[in-house]
Amino acid sequence: MRKHNFSPGPATLPQEVFQQAADALVDFNHSGLSIAEISHRAPEFVQVIEEATSLVRELYQLPDYFEVLWLPGGASTQLAVAPMNLLGLNDSMAIVDTGFWALRSIDAARELAQVHVLESASATHYDRIPKAWNLPADAKYLHVVSNETIEGIQYHEYPQVDIPLVADMTSDFLSKPLDVDRFGIIFASAQKNFGIAGITCVLVNTKVLPVNSDRKVPTIWDYQTHIQNQSLYHTVPTYPVYVALLMLRWIKAQGGLREMQNQSVAKSSLLYDEIDRNPLFEGIAVKEDRSVLNACFRAISPEVESQFLEYCSQNDVVGIKGFPTVGGFRASMYNGMAMESVQHLVQLMKNFKPSL
């Protein structure tokens, strides 16, 4: 019997996607070849990446001036690549400090440009999204971490600003509809909502790319390189792209991004209702900023926490232990997480009787 995997990533995928991916790893479309050994320039794989690109365009209803790129290196690479492509040597960007991944973004951008940190939630241990701040006139874009996986907080409404948003959406990409015109760059690695580790999808609004810049961007990090080569400038990770395609097909078949959002709200509401009801547990984030994808909560004592972790392990729930800097529990409920798994966890919380 499969376990209920609440890991923050790599995350669980639907069983049908795992099975299709497993079949293709042995024999892709009855070709006698594995998808992992087909050339990234072969017609068979070009069809895969073109269909994946087309589905991202369809699901997000992307205008023609957006490009869809499939790049290796993980989303953390894009923390440096995005400012490298958008900022000149004397330009600046802005960011709100919402937690672990915002701090990573700040560190990466500071190696390349001036960074305005507009506000920080550190004083309240990153339990909320700061909403009161002033945007400097010289900022070229505002970086947002759409969903902080470690602290369990999420932008449910994006800031209304007159400059482009650059968004790290690694943990909530393809989980809800977007007004994409507000964004300059959106990037997300696949291993949470739409695949396995090894590939990052980057949406580039070509209107925000500088025509001339005094920054010399290395060819391999230049978005234009990959736009001109349709993501095939070098060997793309073929198997992760194929798994992403399978997930994109699955998301479309489920009803698209609106349905993904509905499912996320239903799953998280079920769990948060139990957290708020059950005297053995307490939420960490303020309610209005709670993530619908990563529910972070605590037990009433370290002893109860330890006992509940053991109880979960005995009942086939894994991946629920919180990040070391936060502690407690973290239940990650990405697109591939079945409602039945959330129902199982909630029932365990109801049945749990600690030794006090």
Side-chain angles (χ1 to χ4, degrees):
M1 185 179 74
R2 273 190 55 81
K3 296 182 183 295
H4 302 274
N5 181 12
F6 287 88
S7 169
T12 192
L13 300 178
Q15 280 304 290
E16 62 196 85
V17 171
F18 275 137
Q19 187 58 60
Q20 291 167 347
D23 292 344
L25 191 57
V26 176
D27 185 2
F28 174 62
N29 287 351
H30 308 291
S31 66
L33 296 171
S34 167
I35 183 64
E37 65 180 323
I38 291 176
S39 167
H40 69 296
R41 298 187 189 279
E44 296 87 348
F45 180 74
V46 171
Q47 290 177 2
V48 167
I49 200 168
E50 286 180 348
E51 183 184 350
T53 297
S54 177
L55 283 169
V56 171
R57 286 191 170 282
E58 178 182 348
L59 290 166
Y60 273 126
Q61 299 181 336
L62 294 180
D64 290 344
Y65 47 84
F66 267 82
E67 296 286 349
V68 179
L69 303 179
W70 300 93
L71 304 176
S76 291
T77 302
Q78 298 304 313
L79 301 181
V81 174
M84 201 182 297
N85 277 264
L86 297 185
L87 300 178
L89 294 175
N90 297 311
D91 289 339
S92 66
M93 52 83 78
I95 185 169
V96 178
D97 176 17
T98 50
F100 183 92
W101 292 108
L103 290 171
R104 282 282 183 90
S105 305
I106 291 166
D107 289 344
R110 276 180 173 158
E111 295 179 347
L112 296 159
Q114 182 181 358
V115 177
H116 298 290
V117 180
L118 306 183
E119 187 53 82
S120 174
S122 61
T124 57
H125 305 287
Y126 297 109
D127 67 343
R128 66 196 64 202
I129 301 285
K131 301 176 180 68
W133 40 262
N134 295 312
L135 187 68
D138 64 338
K140 295 294 186 181
Y141 67 82
L142 175 63
H143 182 101
V144 294
V145 179
S146 186
N147 181 70
E148 289 278 7
T149 57
I150 288 172
E151 294 84 7
I153 56 176
Q154 184 178 18
Y155 279 96
H156 298 299
E157 296 290 338
Y158 293 103
Q160 295 284 347
V161 292
D162 294 329
I163 56 176
L165 299 175
V166 170
D168 178 353
M169 287 192 186
T170 289
S171 49
D172 59 359
F173 192 65
L174 294 166
S175 70
K176 59 183 178 181
L178 288 177
D179 177 7
V180 295
D181 268 328
R182 297 177 59 192
F183 296 87
I185 306 291
I186 297 170
F187 58 85
S189 48
Q191 69 273 8
K192 299 180 186 292
N193 278 307
F194 66 107
I196 61 174
I199 195 68
T200 299
C201 189
V202 183
L203 309 186
V204 180
N205 183 340
T206 57
K207 288 185 175 182
V208 308
L209 295 179
V211 176
N212 296 299
S213 176
D214 57 1
R215 185 187 301 279
K216 174 61 177 175
V217 181
T219 301
I220 192 64
W221 304 127
D222 191 333
Y223 286 142
Q224 291 289 4
T225 299
H226 302 287
I227 291 170
Q228 293 163 12
N229 289 274
Q230 298 179 297
S231 300
L232 299 176
Y233 175 73
H234 56 175
T235 305
V236 69
T238 54
Y239 187 58
V241 172
Y242 179 69
V243 180
L245 170 60
L246 296 178
M247 269 304 292
L248 288 161
R249 289 173 176 171
W250 181 86
I251 290 168
K252 180 180 177 179
Q254 292 289 302
L257 302 189
R258 183 66 65 189
E259 180 57 24
M260 292 298 98
Q261 184 177 41
N262 292 341
Q263 290 183 21
S264 290
V265 170
K267 288 181 289 191
S268 61
S269 295
L270 179 65
L271 180 52
Y272 283 128
D273 284 349
E274 179 60 22
I275 291 168
D276 294 338
R277 181 205 68 82
N278 195 319
L280 295 174
F281 303 100
E282 60 183 12
I284 292 176
V286 298
K287 289 185 178 181
E288 62 267 27
D289 293 332
R290 282 173 167 175
S291 170
V292 300
L293 298 157
N294 307 96
C296 295
F297 58 105
R298 299 187 182 96
I300 57 172
S301 72
E303 293 77 19
V304 172
E305 179 178 311
S306 178
Q307 291 178 45
F308 185 65
L309 280 174
E310 179 61 27
Y311 184 65
C312 285
S313 179
Q314 292 170 355
N315 288 276
D316 299 316
V317 168
V318 299
I320 200 172
K321 186 174 177 61
F323 195 76
T325 59
V326 177
F329 310 103
R330 173 174 48 171
S332 298
M333 301 166 286
Y334 302 119
N335 285 345
M337 169 63 68
M339 174 62 85
E340 290 75 16
S341 290
V342 182
Q343 292 169 336
H344 178 70
L345 174 59
V346 168
Q347 193 60 50
L348 291 182
M349 295 170 72
K350 293 178 184 291
N351 295 343
F352 176 56
K353 299 293 187 292
S355 301
L356 299 176

